[in-house]
């Protein structure tokens, strides 16, 4: 399982931009942790779309 880090509360994340150098797939489950390491949540990717400028936008259910 891949882990992504975000500032703030990871439960409130509905989409996140990531580098296209990493591979992600629709319906893959990822762990999202807060940058201070106090909170984490597992979310299923609803859709992966081209976010432009060599980024993917991961949209969550």
């Amino acid at each position: 399982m891949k882990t992504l880090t975000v500032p703030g509360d990871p439960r409130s994340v509905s989409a996140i931009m990531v580098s296209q150098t990493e591979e992600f797939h629709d319906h893959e489950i990822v762990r999202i942790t807060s940058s201070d390491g106090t909170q984490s949540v597992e979310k299923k990717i609803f859709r992966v779309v081209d976010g432009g400028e060599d980024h993917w936008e991961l949209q969550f259910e």
Side-chain angles (χ1 to χ4, degrees):
M1 176 180 313
K2 295 177 184 164
T3 301
L4 304 170
T5 303
V6 297
D9 183 359
R11 295 174 296 199
S12 65
V13 173
S14 60
I16 188 171
M17 300 292 276
V18 296
S19 173
Q20 283 186 349
T21 59
E22 294 190 63
E23 188 172 328
F24 292 91
H25 303 282
D26 294 354
H27 310 294
E28 179 179 358
I29 296 175
V30 296
R31 179 181 308 274
I32 303 172
T33 61
S34 60
S35 56
D36 63 7
T38 61
Q39 300 176 32
S40 69
V41 65
E42 291 181 5
K43 290 193 173 202
K44 185 185 286 188
I45 298 171
F46 172 69
R47 180 180 12 216
V48 179
V49 296
D50 188 346
E53 297 186 19
D54 298 326
H55 286 86
W56 295 120
E57 179 181 31
L58 307 181
Q59 299 174 351
F60 300 102
E61 295 182 331

